């Protein structure tokens, strides 16, 4: 049983690392697309659907990198501040950080749902 769990852990760690590498490649793709779009406009060079490709690359970069960054503990750099404290003070700052993150997440989720509802009402479809 322990051997199977060890194999599963190695498999998952490899999968997380692959997601992190792919996330980095999508970050580079965003850079190249944005530079191509920015430099191409004055030169009359157009990248068809370049904005949409950059948006899809951004979504892929964010989601593919989540597991790797979460596993390595680098998800949010709030730790740089929180790690300077100890005991009850650290706990209070962590609670404040979590409540703040919950507030922002709720705010964005609410408006995402409202945006979808408005798009549905207006019969606005994505390409």
């Amino acid at each position: 049983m322990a051997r199977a769990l060890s194999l599963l852990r190695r498999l998952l760690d490899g999968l997380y690392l692959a997601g992190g590498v792919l996330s980095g490649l999508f970050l580079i793709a965003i850079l190249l697309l944005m530079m191509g779009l920015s430099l191409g406009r004055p030169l009359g060079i157009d990248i068809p659907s370049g904005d949409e490709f950059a948006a899809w690359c951004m979504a892929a970069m964010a989601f593919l990198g989540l597991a790797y960054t979460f596993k390595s503990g680098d998800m949010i750099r709030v730790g740089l501040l929180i790690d300077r404290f100890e005991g009850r003070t650290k706990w209070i700052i962590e609670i404040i950080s979590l409540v703040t993150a919950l507030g922002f997440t709720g705010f964005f989720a609410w408006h995402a749902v409202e945006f979808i509802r408005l798009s549905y009402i207006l019969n606005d479809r994505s390409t």
Side-chain angles (χ1 to χ4, degrees):
M1 180 67 170
R3 185 175 172 156
L5 288 177
S6 175
L7 176 65
L8 181 61
R9 172 58 29 212
R10 283 197 320 263
L11 177 70
L12 287 174
D13 287 343
L15 185 62
Y16 299 159
L17 179 60
V21 169
L22 284 172
S23 179
L25 292 175
F26 276 108
L27 181 62
I28 292 169
I30 293 168
L31 169 74
L32 295 175
L33 280 166
M34 296 308 292
M35 292 305 293
L37 288 167
S38 297
L39 298 174
R41 283 188 184 114
L43 300 174
I45 300 170
D46 183 36
I47 299 174
S49 302
D51 294 332
E52 287 82 9
F53 285 127
W56 283 107
C57 286
M58 191 174 301
M61 179 201 65
F63 287 107
L64 287 170
L66 283 176
Y68 179 75
T69 54
F70 187 69
K71 173 81 170 127
S72 62
D74 293 331
M75 183 65 90
I76 300 174
R77 290 296 179 177
V78 175
L80 291 173
L81 173 67
I82 291 175
D83 290 341
R84 295 177 187 255
F85 298 97
E86 293 179 359
R88 183 117 173 111
T89 305
K90 182 176 182 174
W91 182 80
I92 290 170
I93 293 173
E94 285 178 342
I95 295 298
I96 291 169
S97 298
L98 289 171
V99 168
T100 303
L102 180 65
F104 278 111
T105 303
F107 176 81
F108 289 122
W110 174 266
H111 286 285
V113 170
E114 284 297 309
F115 182 70
I116 292 168
R117 188 181 67 81
L118 180 63
S119 295
Y120 181 77
I121 289 170
L122 298 175
N123 200 26
D124 184 21
R125 302 279 194 257
S126 172
T127 55

